Amino acid sequence: MLFKGPAGFQRIIYIIMNIVIGIVVSLCLMVAIMHVPITPDGLLKSVVLSFFIGYTVSDLIPAMKWGNALASALKVRNPLGAHVISSAVLAFFMGTFILFFCSYINIYDLAGMAGVFDFFVSAYGLVLLAAYISILVFVPLGGKVATAISGFDPAKGTDPAVEL
């Protein structure tokens, strides 16, 4: 029941999307910003933290719905064009919240809000790009997995991004 129907479809998309974003963003930050070695325990800690923050944000902020609404308001009829626009909106919210809260949790005790803000600003562009590419590529693939598991096909039913 937990993963069936429109709500299950949405849950599965959020899980897949946040695992992928967690992995991609963590790797990008470790290599390009922090210049630290990639270790299994460091990557796992980063991905788990990112996942829980991202899943919470996904559930509380209807960014996918807002992205679809923006594409509709811009009168984008091409499904690929609509996906590009909705992915940008979703990446903005996901990247911003994940980066801010992960920065806060990891840096505040060491460097205060000034350190959190400095790290956030230095990593923001890379995180937005990594989140955008992750969402652009993996949400459609996740949709296929979610359809298979949930039994819900958004092409034949209501929009799963609509609040249920």
Side-chain angles (χ1 to χ4, degrees):
M1 295 287 180
L2 185 63
F3 295 109
K4 295 297 181 189
F9 178 92
Q10 188 169 351
R11 228 174 252 118
I12 294 164
I13 286 284
Y14 289 169
I15 290 169
I16 292 168
M17 176 181 68
N18 283 295
I19 289 171
V20 171
I21 289 173
I23 292 168
V24 172
V25 167
S26 296
L27 289 172
C28 287
L29 288 174
M30 289 175 163
V31 171
I33 303 295
M34 298 183 311
H35 308 290
V36 297
I38 298 168
T39 62
D41 60 328
L43 182 61
L44 182 62
K45 176 186 171 191
S46 183
V47 170
V48 168
L49 180 59
S50 172
F51 173 82
F52 283 107
I53 292 167
Y55 191 89
T56 302
V57 170
S58 301
D59 198 46
L60 296 176
I61 297 175
M64 188 179 292
K65 179 181 176 182
W66 294 343
N68 291 337
L70 177 60
S72 182
L74 294 173
K75 299 186 187 327
V76 176
R77 303 284 180 239
N78 179 320
L80 180 59
H83 176 60
V84 166
I85 291 169
S86 66
S87 294
V89 172
L90 189 55
F92 170 76
F93 283 98
M94 298 301 296
T96 300
F97 281 96
I98 289 171
L99 178 60
F100 177 78
F101 286 109
C102 286
S103 299
Y104 182 81
I105 290 167
N106 286 303
I107 297 171
Y108 183 79
D109 286 343
L110 300 171
M113 278 312 289
V116 171
F117 182 73
D118 288 347
F119 183 78
F120 180 87
V121 169
S122 70
Y124 193 55
L126 177 64
V127 167
L128 287 183
L129 180 63
Y132 180 66
I133 291 169
S134 299
I135 290 166
L136 195 64
V137 172
F138 286 99
V139 166
L141 298 173
K144 292 180 189 315
V145 172
T147 296
I149 294 170
S150 71
F152 176 75
D153 185 351
K156 297 177 183 172
T158 60
D159 181 2
V162 173
E163 296 300 310
L164 302 173

